[in-house]
Structure formats: structure tokens, C-alpha cells
Amino acid sequence: MGMSVTISAASAQDAEHILKLQYLCYQSEAELYGDYGIEPLTQSLDDLRAELDRGHALVARLGDEVIASVRGELDDTGTVTIGKLIVHPRLRRHGLGSRLLDAIEEHFAAGRTPAAKRFQLLTGHRSEGNLRLYRRKGYETVATREAGPRLTLVTLEKAA
């Protein structure tokens, strides 16, 4: 095949592709927690577009296909909330999640006003692959909270 993966800013035209990929990627999370009503599976296209307008999103492409994505949003305290880091199931465990996480951090660390002071993300307590990646990238658990009978959300942070 010979194609390489490219990472770039997501455009408005990518919204539908991101939403379809998000739906595919979060099936395993829904199964893990026994809850198919989780927000990534119920998010509307309009909500996704509004989320893209508020923050910054990146996509990874293999040729023309969107195969991975991540979103981030900087608040006025300097906290960048990183979310919905997704990689197509057939391409997991090839470093794409790590590359996207690095790229979104670099985007917000590059002289923004206000300056990014910390990066924060959430994942479920049973999402071992996510927790391993985030800890390997320097994130530490700063809080946990029950989000339902089967889900405890873990908040992880690291300094910018």
C-alpha cells in the first residue's frame, strides 16, 4: 500500500467522518461498561460541530480516510481538556493514539493566550489501555468520581 499516516487540523468537512469513527470506536467502551447510552454514542452531529467550533480537533488520515482523531479545549484558567482520543479498531496499538496525544499537546503549548498550564483528560476505571497510555505519557490520577453504578471516571493531569 505504501501510504503514510498524516495528522492535521480537522475541518468542518471532517465532522461526519469523525462522528462515524467515534461511534465505531466507542462500541468497545460501551461493551466494557455494559452501557450503550454513553455520550460518545449518542452525540449528535450538531453537538459535535459545536464542540469542534469551541476547541481544536486533529485527525489522522491514511490516504483520504479519517482513521483517528482527538479534541482539546483550553479554558481561561489554562487547563486544556483533551477528549475523545479515538483510533480505528483495526489500527490500534501502532502508536497513533500516542502521536495524536503529542500533537494536541503541542498545539496548545505553542504560545496560546491564555497559556496552557496543564493538560487534563478523563477515562473510565476499566479502560486499562487508555490508562496505560496516559500514564506512559506522564499523566497522573488527580481524582475519581462515580458516574453510575458501573462506571467510575478517572481524571488524569500533567503540567503543560
Side-chain angles (χ1 to χ4, degrees):
M1 176 154 60
M3 286 188 276
S4 62
V5 173
T6 58
I7 295 175
S8 61
S11 69
Q13 291 77 23
D14 293 322
E16 285 186 57
H17 298 286
I18 292 169
L19 190 62
K20 288 177 185 175
L21 181 62
Q22 176 178 303
Y23 187 82
L24 175 66
C25 291
Y26 273 92
Q27 294 297 314
S28 58
E29 290 292 302
E31 183 178 347
L32 185 61
Y33 295 100
D35 183 357
Y36 287 85
I38 59 176
E39 188 269 343
L41 295 181
T42 60
Q43 185 175 32
S44 71
L45 184 57
D46 286 340
D47 287 345
L48 174 84
R49 286 185 174 132
E51 195 175 320
L52 295 177
D53 287 343
R54 281 194 315 271
H56 185 72
L58 298 173
V59 292
R61 297 177 200 280
L62 183 61
D64 292 332
E65 182 186 4
V66 173
I67 57 166
S69 182
V70 66
R71 293 172 231 169
E73 190 172 337
L74 176 64
D75 70 17
D76 56 3
T77 70
T79 300
V80 177
T81 303
I82 297 172
K84 297 191 178 99
L85 175 59
I86 54 175
V87 177
H88 193 290
R90 78 173 190 270
L91 297 167
R92 290 181 182 157
R93 306 206 47 84
H94 293 283
L96 284 172
S98 183
R99 285 180 58 195
L100 277 171
L101 192 54
D102 289 344
I104 199 81
E105 289 173 3
E106 287 170 18
H107 169 80
F108 284 103
R112 302 274 174 236
T113 303
K117 295 178 183 172
R118 75 191 65 75
F119 299 108
Q120 187 177 82
L121 43 82
L122 295 171
T123 194
H125 70 288
R126 292 184 194 154
S127 301
E128 289 300 323
N130 296 349
L131 289 165
R132 266 193 313 276
L133 169 63
Y134 302 147
R135 289 182 178 133
R136 193 173 69 242
K137 291 299 204 172
Y139 287 83
E140 296 179 359
T141 300
V142 295
T144 58
R145 74 174 167 84
E146 286 190 28
R150 297 181 215 122
L151 172 63
T152 299
L153 288 175
V154 180
T155 303
L156 299 103
E157 261 186 23
K158 81 174 188 180

Short mmCIF file of all heavy atoms in Angstrom, two decimals, residues 89-153:
data_model
loop_
_atom_site.label_atom_id
_atom_site.label_comp_id
_atom_site.label_asym_id
_atom_site.label_seq_id
_atom_site.Cartn_x
_atom_site.Cartn_y
_atom_site.Cartn_z
N PRO A 89 -10.43 0.70 15.20
CA PRO A 89 -10.06 -0.57 15.84
C PRO A 89 -9.02 -1.39 15.07
O PRO A 89 -8.16 -2.02 15.69
CB PRO A 89 -11.40 -1.33 15.93
CG PRO A 89 -12.42 -0.24 16.00
CD PRO A 89 -11.89 0.87 15.13
N ARG A 90 -9.04 -1.37 13.77
CA ARG A 90 -8.07 -2.18 13.01
C ARG A 90 -6.65 -1.58 13.04
O ARG A 90 -5.70 -2.24 12.64
CB ARG A 90 -8.55 -2.38 11.58
CG ARG A 90 -8.35 -1.22 10.64
CD ARG A 90 -8.71 -1.57 9.19
NE ARG A 90 -8.30 -0.52 8.31
CZ ARG A 90 -9.02 0.52 7.95
NH1 ARG A 90 -10.24 0.66 8.41
NH2 ARG A 90 -8.53 1.44 7.14
N LEU A 91 -6.52 -0.35 13.53
CA LEU A 91 -5.21 0.32 13.52
C LEU A 91 -4.70 0.64 14.92
O LEU A 91 -3.72 1.37 15.08
CB LEU A 91 -5.30 1.60 12.69
CG LEU A 91 -5.62 1.35 11.21
CD1 LEU A 91 -6.01 2.62 10.51
CD2 LEU A 91 -4.45 0.68 10.52
N ARG A 92 -5.33 0.06 15.92
CA ARG A 92 -4.87 0.29 17.30
C ARG A 92 -3.56 -0.43 17.55
O ARG A 92 -3.21 -1.37 16.87
CB ARG A 92 -5.94 -0.18 18.29
CG ARG A 92 -7.16 0.70 18.27
CD ARG A 92 -8.21 0.27 19.24
NE ARG A 92 -9.37 1.15 19.12
CZ ARG A 92 -10.58 0.83 19.48
NH1 ARG A 92 -10.83 -0.35 20.02
NH2 ARG A 92 -11.58 1.70 19.33
N ARG A 93 -2.85 0.08 18.55
CA ARG A 93 -1.58 -0.50 19.00
C ARG A 93 -0.45 -0.32 17.97
O ARG A 93 0.46 -1.13 17.89
CB ARG A 93 -1.74 -1.96 19.42
CG ARG A 93 -2.85 -2.11 20.45
CD ARG A 93 -2.78 -3.26 21.37
NE ARG A 93 -1.54 -3.54 22.02
CZ ARG A 93 -1.07 -2.98 23.14
NH1 ARG A 93 -1.78 -2.04 23.72
NH2 ARG A 93 0.06 -3.35 23.66
N HIS A 94 -0.54 0.78 17.22
CA HIS A 94 0.51 1.14 16.26
C HIS A 94 1.07 2.53 16.56
O HIS A 94 1.75 3.11 15.72
CB HIS A 94 -0.01 1.09 14.82
CG HIS A 94 -0.34 -0.29 14.36
ND1 HIS A 94 0.62 -1.21 13.99
CD2 HIS A 94 -1.53 -0.92 14.23
CE1 HIS A 94 0.03 -2.34 13.64
NE2 HIS A 94 -1.27 -2.19 13.79
N GLY A 95 0.74 3.09 17.72
CA GLY A 95 1.29 4.38 18.12
C GLY A 95 0.50 5.59 17.68
O GLY A 95 0.92 6.72 17.95
N LEU A 96 -0.64 5.41 17.03
CA LEU A 96 -1.41 6.56 16.56
C LEU A 96 -1.99 7.38 17.71
O LEU A 96 -2.00 8.61 17.66
CB LEU A 96 -2.55 6.12 15.64
CG LEU A 96 -2.16 5.73 14.23
CD1 LEU A 96 -3.35 5.14 13.49
CD2 LEU A 96 -1.62 6.93 13.49
N GLY A 97 -2.48 6.71 18.74
CA GLY A 97 -3.03 7.43 19.89
C GLY A 97 -1.96 8.27 20.55
O GLY A 97 -2.19 9.44 20.90
N SER A 98 -0.79 7.72 20.69
CA SER A 98 0.34 8.44 21.28
C SER A 98 0.72 9.65 20.42
O SER A 98 0.96 10.74 20.94
CB SER A 98 1.53 7.48 21.42
OG SER A 98 2.60 8.11 22.04
N ARG A 99 0.77 9.45 19.11
CA ARG A 99 1.11 10.56 18.20
C ARG A 99 0.07 11.67 18.26
O ARG A 99 0.42 12.86 18.26
CB ARG A 99 1.23 10.05 16.76
CG ARG A 99 2.50 9.28 16.49
CD ARG A 99 2.59 8.79 15.06
NE ARG A 99 2.51 9.87 14.08
CZ ARG A 99 2.28 9.68 12.79
NH1 ARG A 99 2.11 8.46 12.30
NH2 ARG A 99 2.22 10.70 11.96
N LEU A 100 -1.20 11.31 18.32
CA LEU A 100 -2.25 12.33 18.39
C LEU A 100 -2.21 13.07 19.72
O LEU A 100 -2.40 14.28 19.75
CB LEU A 100 -3.63 11.69 18.19
CG LEU A 100 -4.05 11.49 16.75
CD1 LEU A 100 -5.32 10.64 16.69
CD2 LEU A 100 -4.26 12.80 16.03
N LEU A 101 -1.97 12.35 20.80
CA LEU A 101 -1.88 13.00 22.11
C LEU A 101 -0.72 13.99 22.12
O LEU A 101 -0.87 15.13 22.58
CB LEU A 101 -1.71 11.93 23.20
CG LEU A 101 -1.88 12.39 24.64
CD1 LEU A 101 -3.20 13.11 24.88
CD2 LEU A 101 -1.75 11.18 25.58
N ASP A 102 0.43 13.59 21.60
CA ASP A 102 1.57 14.51 21.50
C ASP A 102 1.21 15.74 20.66
O ASP A 102 1.54 16.88 21.02
CB ASP A 102 2.78 13.82 20.86
CG ASP A 102 3.44 12.79 21.75
OD1 ASP A 102 3.17 12.77 22.98
OD2 ASP A 102 4.23 11.97 21.21
N ALA A 103 0.54 15.51 19.54
CA ALA A 103 0.21 16.61 18.62
C ALA A 103 -0.77 17.60 19.22
O ALA A 103 -0.61 18.82 19.05
CB ALA A 103 -0.33 16.04 17.31
N ILE A 104 -1.78 17.12 19.96
CA ILE A 104 -2.75 18.06 20.56
C ILE A 104 -2.09 18.83 21.69
O ILE A 104 -2.33 20.03 21.86
CB ILE A 104 -4.06 17.34 20.99
CG1 ILE A 104 -5.19 18.35 21.16
CG2 ILE A 104 -3.89 16.51 22.24
CD1 ILE A 104 -5.88 18.78 19.91
N GLU A 105 -1.20 18.19 22.44
CA GLU A 105 -0.47 18.90 23.49
C GLU A 105 0.43 19.98 22.87
O GLU A 105 0.47 21.11 23.36
CB GLU A 105 0.39 17.93 24.32
CG GLU A 105 -0.41 17.03 25.22
CD GLU A 105 0.45 15.97 25.90
OE1 GLU A 105 1.69 15.95 25.70
OE2 GLU A 105 -0.12 15.14 26.64
N GLU A 106 1.12 19.63 21.80
CA GLU A 106 2.00 20.60 21.13
C GLU A 106 1.20 21.79 20.61
O GLU A 106 1.65 22.93 20.69
CB GLU A 106 2.75 19.93 19.98
CG GLU A 106 3.84 18.99 20.44
CD GLU A 106 4.42 18.15 19.30
OE1 GLU A 106 4.23 18.52 18.11
OE2 GLU A 106 5.05 17.13 19.61
N HIS A 107 0.02 21.53 20.08
CA HIS A 107 -0.82 22.61 19.56
C HIS A 107 -1.12 23.63 20.66
O HIS A 107 -1.00 24.84 20.45
CB HIS A 107 -2.13 22.06 18.99
CG HIS A 107 -3.13 23.14 18.68
ND1 HIS A 107 -3.05 23.90 17.53
CD2 HIS A 107 -4.18 23.62 19.39
CE1 HIS A 107 -4.02 24.80 17.55
NE2 HIS A 107 -4.74 24.64 18.66
N PHE A 108 -1.52 23.14 21.83
CA PHE A 108 -1.91 24.06 22.90
C PHE A 108 -0.72 24.63 23.65
O PHE A 108 -0.86 25.65 24.33
CB PHE A 108 -2.89 23.37 23.86
CG PHE A 108 -4.27 23.28 23.30
CD1 PHE A 108 -4.75 22.08 22.79
CD2 PHE A 108 -5.10 24.39 23.25
CE1 PHE A 108 -6.03 21.99 22.25
CE2 PHE A 108 -6.37 24.32 22.72
CZ PHE A 108 -6.84 23.12 22.22
N ALA A 109 0.43 24.02 23.54
CA ALA A 109 1.63 24.53 24.21
C ALA A 109 2.33 25.60 23.38
O ALA A 109 3.21 26.29 23.88
CB ALA A 109 2.60 23.38 24.51
N ALA A 110 1.91 25.77 22.16
CA ALA A 110 2.60 26.67 21.22
C ALA A 110 2.13 28.11 21.34
O ALA A 110 1.46 28.63 20.46
CB ALA A 110 2.41 26.16 19.79
N GLY A 111 2.46 28.76 22.45
CA GLY A 111 2.24 30.20 22.60
C GLY A 111 0.82 30.68 22.55
O GLY A 111 0.54 31.73 21.97
N ARG A 112 -0.11 29.98 23.13
CA ARG A 112 -1.50 30.41 23.15
C ARG A 112 -1.73 31.42 24.28
O ARG A 112 -1.00 31.48 25.25
CB ARG A 112 -2.42 29.20 23.39
CG ARG A 112 -2.26 28.11 22.36
CD ARG A 112 -3.13 28.39 21.16
NE ARG A 112 -2.84 27.39 20.14
CZ ARG A 112 -2.47 27.69 18.92
NH1 ARG A 112 -2.32 28.92 18.55
NH2 ARG A 112 -2.24 26.75 18.05
N THR A 113 -2.79 32.21 24.16
CA THR A 113 -3.21 33.10 25.22
C THR A 113 -4.64 32.74 25.58
O THR A 113 -5.50 32.81 24.69
CB THR A 113 -3.13 34.57 24.76
OG1 THR A 113 -1.80 34.83 24.34
CG2 THR A 113 -3.50 35.51 25.86
N PRO A 114 -4.98 32.34 26.79
CA PRO A 114 -4.02 32.18 27.88
C PRO A 114 -3.11 30.98 27.64
O PRO A 114 -3.46 30.08 26.89
CB PRO A 114 -4.91 31.94 29.11
CG PRO A 114 -6.15 31.32 28.56
CD PRO A 114 -6.34 31.93 27.18
N ALA A 115 -1.99 30.98 28.30
CA ALA A 115 -1.04 29.88 28.14
C ALA A 115 -1.60 28.61 28.78
O ALA A 115 -2.23 28.66 29.83
CB ALA A 115 0.29 30.25 28.80
N ALA A 116 -1.35 27.49 28.12
CA ALA A 116 -1.74 26.21 28.69
C ALA A 116 -0.87 25.93 29.91
O ALA A 116 0.36 25.99 29.83
CB ALA A 116 -1.59 25.10 27.66
N LYS A 117 -1.50 25.66 31.05
CA LYS A 117 -0.76 25.36 32.28
C LYS A 117 -0.78 23.87 32.58
O LYS A 117 0.15 23.35 33.18
CB LYS A 117 -1.36 26.12 33.46
CG LYS A 117 -1.23 27.62 33.33
CD LYS A 117 -1.90 28.32 34.49
CE LYS A 117 -1.80 29.83 34.29
NZ LYS A 117 -2.60 30.54 35.29
N ARG A 118 -1.87 23.22 32.18
CA ARG A 118 -2.00 21.79 32.46
C ARG A 118 -2.87 21.15 31.40
O ARG A 118 -3.70 21.80 30.77
CB ARG A 118 -2.56 21.55 33.86
CG ARG A 118 -4.02 21.81 34.03
CD ARG A 118 -4.48 21.82 35.48
NE ARG A 118 -3.92 22.91 36.25
CZ ARG A 118 -4.31 24.18 36.16
NH1 ARG A 118 -5.26 24.53 35.31
NH2 ARG A 118 -3.76 25.11 36.90
N PHE A 119 -2.66 19.85 31.24
CA PHE A 119 -3.49 19.03 30.36
C PHE A 119 -4.28 18.09 31.25
O PHE A 119 -3.74 17.52 32.20
CB PHE A 119 -2.65 18.23 29.38
CG PHE A 119 -1.82 19.09 28.47
CD1 PHE A 119 -0.45 19.18 28.63
CD2 PHE A 119 -2.42 19.82 27.46
CE1 PHE A 119 0.31 19.97 27.79
CE2 PHE A 119 -1.67 20.62 26.62
CZ PHE A 119 -0.30 20.70 26.79
N GLN A 120 -5.56 17.92 30.94
CA GLN A 120 -6.43 17.07 31.75
C GLN A 120 -7.27 16.21 30.83
O GLN A 120 -7.71 16.66 29.77
CB GLN A 120 -7.32 17.96 32.62
CG GLN A 120 -8.15 17.20 33.62
CD GLN A 120 -8.96 18.16 34.48
OE1 GLN A 120 -10.01 18.61 34.06
NE2 GLN A 120 -8.45 18.48 35.66
N LEU A 121 -7.50 14.97 31.24
CA LEU A 121 -8.39 14.09 30.49
C LEU A 121 -9.09 13.14 31.43
O LEU A 121 -8.72 12.98 32.59
CB LEU A 121 -7.63 13.35 29.39
CG LEU A 121 -6.27 12.76 29.71
CD1 LEU A 121 -6.40 11.44 30.40
CD2 LEU A 121 -5.47 12.62 28.44
N LEU A 122 -10.15 12.53 30.92
CA LEU A 122 -10.97 11.58 31.68
C LEU A 122 -11.00 10.25 30.95
O LEU A 122 -10.98 10.21 29.72
CB LEU A 122 -12.42 12.07 31.77
CG LEU A 122 -12.73 13.34 32.53
CD1 LEU A 122 -14.18 13.73 32.30
CD2 LEU A 122 -12.47 13.15 34.00
N THR A 123 -11.08 9.19 31.73
CA THR A 123 -11.33 7.87 31.16
C THR A 123 -12.02 7.03 32.22
O THR A 123 -12.04 7.38 33.39
CB THR A 123 -10.03 7.21 30.65
OG1 THR A 123 -10.38 6.09 29.83
CG2 THR A 123 -9.12 6.77 31.78
N GLY A 124 -12.57 5.93 31.79
CA GLY A 124 -13.22 5.03 32.73
C GLY A 124 -12.22 4.16 33.47
O GLY A 124 -11.13 3.87 32.96
N HIS A 125 -12.59 3.73 34.65
CA HIS A 125 -11.68 2.96 35.52
C HIS A 125 -11.31 1.60 34.95
O HIS A 125 -10.28 1.04 35.31
CB HIS A 125 -12.29 2.80 36.92
CG HIS A 125 -13.48 1.90 36.99
ND1 HIS A 125 -14.71 2.23 36.47
CD2 HIS A 125 -13.61 0.65 37.49
CE1 HIS A 125 -15.56 1.24 36.67
NE2 HIS A 125 -14.92 0.27 37.29
N ARG A 126 -12.11 1.04 34.05
CA ARG A 126 -11.81 -0.27 33.45
C ARG A 126 -11.06 -0.15 32.13
O ARG A 126 -10.72 -1.17 31.54
CB ARG A 126 -13.10 -1.04 33.20
CG ARG A 126 -13.81 -1.47 34.44
CD ARG A 126 -15.02 -2.31 34.07
NE ARG A 126 -15.89 -2.44 35.21
CZ ARG A 126 -17.19 -2.67 35.12
NH1 ARG A 126 -17.77 -2.78 33.95
NH2 ARG A 126 -17.92 -2.77 36.21
N SER A 127 -10.84 1.05 31.66
CA SER A 127 -10.20 1.27 30.35
C SER A 127 -8.68 1.19 30.50
O SER A 127 -7.98 2.19 30.40
CB SER A 127 -10.65 2.61 29.78
OG SER A 127 -12.05 2.64 29.65
N GLU A 128 -8.19 -0.02 30.72
CA GLU A 128 -6.77 -0.23 31.04
C GLU A 128 -5.83 0.26 29.95
O GLU A 128 -4.78 0.82 30.25
CB GLU A 128 -6.51 -1.71 31.36
CG GLU A 128 -7.09 -2.16 32.68
CD GLU A 128 -6.54 -1.38 33.87
OE1 GLU A 128 -5.34 -1.03 33.88
OE2 GLU A 128 -7.32 -1.11 34.80
N GLY A 129 -6.18 0.04 28.70
CA GLY A 129 -5.32 0.51 27.61
C GLY A 129 -5.17 2.02 27.63
O GLY A 129 -4.07 2.55 27.47
N ASN A 130 -6.28 2.73 27.86
CA ASN A 130 -6.23 4.19 27.95
C ASN A 130 -5.38 4.62 29.13
O ASN A 130 -4.52 5.51 29.01
CB ASN A 130 -7.64 4.77 28.13
CG ASN A 130 -8.55 4.51 26.94
OD1 ASN A 130 -8.11 4.08 25.89
ND2 ASN A 130 -9.83 4.74 27.14
N LEU A 131 -5.62 4.01 30.28
CA LEU A 131 -4.87 4.37 31.49
C LEU A 131 -3.37 4.13 31.30
O LEU A 131 -2.55 4.96 31.69
CB LEU A 131 -5.40 3.60 32.70
CG LEU A 131 -6.78 4.03 33.19
CD1 LEU A 131 -7.38 2.99 34.13
CD2 LEU A 131 -6.71 5.39 33.85
N ARG A 132 -3.01 3.02 30.67
CA ARG A 132 -1.58 2.74 30.41
C ARG A 132 -0.96 3.81 29.52
O ARG A 132 0.13 4.31 29.79
CB ARG A 132 -1.42 1.37 29.74
CG ARG A 132 -1.15 0.24 30.69
CD ARG A 132 -0.69 -1.03 29.97
NE ARG A 132 -1.48 -1.40 28.81
CZ ARG A 132 -2.62 -2.10 28.86
NH1 ARG A 132 -3.10 -2.50 30.02
NH2 ARG A 132 -3.27 -2.41 27.77
N LEU A 133 -1.66 4.17 28.44
CA LEU A 133 -1.14 5.20 27.52
C LEU A 133 -0.97 6.52 28.26
O LEU A 133 0.10 7.14 28.17
CB LEU A 133 -2.10 5.39 26.34
CG LEU A 133 -1.81 6.60 25.45
CD1 LEU A 133 -0.46 6.48 24.76
CD2 LEU A 133 -2.93 6.78 24.42
N TYR A 134 -1.98 6.95 28.97
CA TYR A 134 -1.92 8.25 29.63
C TYR A 134 -0.82 8.29 30.69
O TYR A 134 -0.09 9.28 30.79
CB TYR A 134 -3.28 8.61 30.23
CG TYR A 134 -4.40 8.64 29.21
CD1 TYR A 134 -5.69 8.28 29.56
CD2 TYR A 134 -4.17 9.00 27.88
CE1 TYR A 134 -6.73 8.31 28.63
CE2 TYR A 134 -5.19 9.02 26.96
CZ TYR A 134 -6.47 8.67 27.33
OH TYR A 134 -7.48 8.69 26.42
N ARG A 135 -0.68 7.22 31.43
CA ARG A 135 0.38 7.19 32.45
C ARG A 135 1.76 7.17 31.81
O ARG A 135 2.69 7.82 32.29
CB ARG A 135 0.17 6.01 33.39
CG ARG A 135 -1.03 6.25 34.29
CD ARG A 135 -1.29 5.14 35.28
NE ARG A 135 -2.42 5.48 36.11
CZ ARG A 135 -3.43 4.67 36.39
NH1 ARG A 135 -3.45 3.44 35.91
NH2 ARG A 135 -4.43 5.09 37.14
N ARG A 136 1.89 6.45 30.71
CA ARG A 136 3.17 6.42 29.98
C ARG A 136 3.52 7.81 29.45
O ARG A 136 4.69 8.17 29.34
CB ARG A 136 3.07 5.41 28.84
CG ARG A 136 4.41 5.08 28.21
CD ARG A 136 4.33 3.95 27.18
NE ARG A 136 3.61 4.36 25.99
CZ ARG A 136 2.47 3.83 25.55
NH1 ARG A 136 1.90 2.83 26.18
NH2 ARG A 136 1.89 4.28 24.45
N LYS A 137 2.51 8.62 29.17
CA LYS A 137 2.72 9.97 28.66
C LYS A 137 2.85 11.01 29.77
O LYS A 137 2.84 12.21 29.51
CB LYS A 137 1.56 10.37 27.73
CG LYS A 137 1.56 9.61 26.43
CD LYS A 137 2.83 9.87 25.69
CE LYS A 137 2.76 9.67 24.23
NZ LYS A 137 3.99 10.13 23.60
N GLY A 138 2.93 10.55 31.03
CA GLY A 138 3.19 11.46 32.14
C GLY A 138 1.98 11.94 32.90
O GLY A 138 2.10 12.77 33.81
N TYR A 139 0.81 11.44 32.58
CA TYR A 139 -0.41 11.84 33.29
C TYR A 139 -0.51 11.07 34.60
O TYR A 139 -0.15 9.90 34.67
CB TYR A 139 -1.65 11.56 32.43
CG TYR A 139 -1.81 12.53 31.29
CD1 TYR A 139 -1.12 12.35 30.09
CD2 TYR A 139 -2.65 13.62 31.40
CE1 TYR A 139 -1.26 13.24 29.04
CE2 TYR A 139 -2.80 14.52 30.36
CZ TYR A 139 -2.10 14.32 29.18
OH TYR A 139 -2.23 15.20 28.15
N GLU A 140 -1.03 11.76 35.62
CA GLU A 140 -1.24 11.14 36.92
C GLU A 140 -2.69 11.33 37.34
O GLU A 140 -3.30 12.37 37.05
CB GLU A 140 -0.32 11.78 37.96
CG GLU A 140 1.15 11.54 37.69
CD GLU A 140 2.06 12.19 38.72
OE1 GLU A 140 1.56 12.86 39.65
OE2 GLU A 140 3.28 12.01 38.59
N THR A 141 -3.21 10.35 38.05
CA THR A 141 -4.58 10.43 38.55
C THR A 141 -4.68 11.53 39.60
O THR A 141 -3.88 11.58 40.53
CB THR A 141 -5.00 9.07 39.17
OG1 THR A 141 -4.92 8.07 38.15
CG2 THR A 141 -6.42 9.14 39.72
N VAL A 142 -5.66 12.42 39.41
CA VAL A 142 -5.88 13.50 40.38
C VAL A 142 -7.25 13.42 41.04
O VAL A 142 -7.47 14.05 42.07
CB VAL A 142 -5.68 14.90 39.75
CG1 VAL A 142 -4.23 15.10 39.33
CG2 VAL A 142 -6.63 15.13 38.58
N ALA A 143 -8.16 12.63 40.46
CA ALA A 143 -9.48 12.49 41.05
C ALA A 143 -10.21 11.30 40.43
O ALA A 143 -9.87 10.87 39.32
CB ALA A 143 -10.31 13.76 40.82
N THR A 144 -11.18 10.80 41.17
CA THR A 144 -12.10 9.80 40.64
C THR A 144 -13.49 10.18 41.13
O THR A 144 -13.64 10.80 42.18
CB THR A 144 -11.77 8.37 41.15
OG1 THR A 144 -11.81 8.36 42.57
CG2 THR A 144 -10.41 7.90 40.66
N ARG A 145 -14.49 9.84 40.32
CA ARG A 145 -15.87 10.07 40.75
C ARG A 145 -16.77 9.05 40.07
O ARG A 145 -16.56 8.69 38.91
CB ARG A 145 -16.34 11.49 40.49
CG ARG A 145 -16.64 11.83 39.07
CD ARG A 145 -17.24 13.24 38.93
NE ARG A 145 -17.23 13.65 37.55
CZ ARG A 145 -18.18 13.33 36.66
NH1 ARG A 145 -19.22 12.61 37.03
NH2 ARG A 145 -18.08 13.72 35.41
N GLU A 146 -17.75 8.58 40.84
CA GLU A 146 -18.70 7.63 40.30
C GLU A 146 -19.63 8.34 39.34
O GLU A 146 -20.22 9.36 39.69
CB GLU A 146 -19.49 6.96 41.43
CG GLU A 146 -18.67 5.95 42.19
CD GLU A 146 -19.50 5.11 43.13
OE1 GLU A 146 -20.70 4.91 42.87
OE2 GLU A 146 -18.92 4.66 44.13
N ALA A 147 -19.74 7.79 38.15
CA ALA A 147 -20.62 8.37 37.14
C ALA A 147 -21.85 7.50 36.93
O ALA A 147 -22.69 7.80 36.10
CB ALA A 147 -19.87 8.54 35.83
N GLY A 148 -21.91 6.42 37.67
CA GLY A 148 -23.03 5.49 37.56
C GLY A 148 -22.68 4.22 38.28
O GLY A 148 -21.57 4.08 38.81
N PRO A 149 -23.60 3.27 38.29
CA PRO A 149 -23.37 2.04 39.04
C PRO A 149 -22.21 1.19 38.49
O PRO A 149 -21.59 0.44 39.23
CB PRO A 149 -24.70 1.28 38.93
CG PRO A 149 -25.42 1.88 37.78
CD PRO A 149 -24.92 3.29 37.66
N ARG A 150 -21.88 1.35 37.21
CA ARG A 150 -20.83 0.54 36.59
C ARG A 150 -19.60 1.34 36.18
O ARG A 150 -18.66 0.76 35.64
CB ARG A 150 -21.38 -0.16 35.35
CG ARG A 150 -22.49 -1.13 35.64
CD ARG A 150 -22.96 -1.80 34.35
NE ARG A 150 -24.39 -2.02 34.45
CZ ARG A 150 -25.28 -1.55 33.60
NH1 ARG A 150 -24.93 -0.86 32.57
NH2 ARG A 150 -26.55 -1.81 33.78
N LEU A 151 -19.62 2.65 36.37
CA LEU A 151 -18.54 3.49 35.84
C LEU A 151 -18.01 4.47 36.87
O LEU A 151 -18.77 5.25 37.43
CB LEU A 151 -19.04 4.26 34.61
CG LEU A 151 -18.10 5.32 34.03
CD1 LEU A 151 -16.81 4.70 33.52
CD2 LEU A 151 -18.79 6.10 32.92
N THR A 152 -16.71 4.42 37.06
CA THR A 152 -16.00 5.44 37.83
C THR A 152 -15.11 6.17 36.85
O THR A 152 -14.32 5.54 36.14
CB THR A 152 -15.16 4.81 38.96
OG1 THR A 152 -16.04 4.12 39.85
CG2 THR A 152 -14.39 5.87 39.72
N LEU A 153 -15.25 7.49 36.77
CA LEU A 153 -14.41 8.29 35.90
C LEU A 153 -13.12 8.64 36.61
O LEU A 153 -13.13 9.05 37.77
CB LEU A 153 -15.13 9.57 35.47
CG LEU A 153 -16.26 9.39 34.47
CD1 LEU A 153 -16.97 10.71 34.23
CD2 LEU A 153 -15.76 8.81 33.16
#
